[in-house]
Amino acid sequence: MTWHGLEVDGPVGTAPVVARFTEDPERRVVVLRDGNGVLHATEPGCPHLGHPLSMGQVDGDVLECDHHAYRYRLTDGVCVQPGGPLAGELVLHEVREGRDGIEVRLSSDA
């Protein structure tokens, strides 16, 4: 259950941004805030076809991939539109923000 420090270029808002692991800059996640300002972290590619989620948009508590408009709830990763078995689910990671910056704990580490 390891926390990993992240390097983020600029402030994190509702526009998704790529964050690099400080100990392994080749490893990346996407961080963003939902409409209520809650911080979230997910894998960088859309579960549907792998399109970069950093190009997506946030609408309330939903992240929409700009490629085929698949929409994923940030609370549980479920695809809410269009849904179905081809969509998959968003892989969400635990994330926290402190005075030393943003850290993530991968769901595979839990």
Side-chain angles (χ1 to χ4, degrees):
M1 298 177 78
T2 304
W3 286 97
H4 305 277
L6 297 176
E7 294 178 9
V8 183
D9 297 331
V12 178
T14 56
V17 295
V18 175
R20 296 169 302 285
F21 284 56
T22 54
E23 74 270 12
D24 180 8
E26 296 300 314
R27 179 74 171 110
R28 293 179 159 94
V29 292
V30 167
V31 292
L32 57 117
R33 294 186 191 279
D34 64 22
N36 293 317
V38 176
L39 188 62
H40 298 275
T42 185
E43 288 298 300
C46 178
H48 176 228
L49 291 175
H51 189 73
L53 288 172
S54 59
M55 299 175 73
Q57 295 182 15
V58 174
D59 179 14
D61 70 343
V62 173
L63 173 60
E64 181 176 313
C65 178
D66 77 327
H67 190 56
H68 287 121
Y70 278 74
R71 295 170 54 88
Y72 301 92
R73 267 194 318 248
L74 292 166
T75 53
D76 59 10
V78 171
C79 182
V80 294
Q81 185 183 2
L86 295 178
E89 288 191 359
L90 202 59
V91 176
L92 300 172
H93 303 297
E94 192 174 351
V95 64
R96 66 184 182 187
E97 188 171 24
R99 63 180 174 198
D100 294 330
I102 298 174
E103 297 178 312
V104 67
R105 183 163 44 198
L106 299 176
S107 56
S108 59
D109 290 347

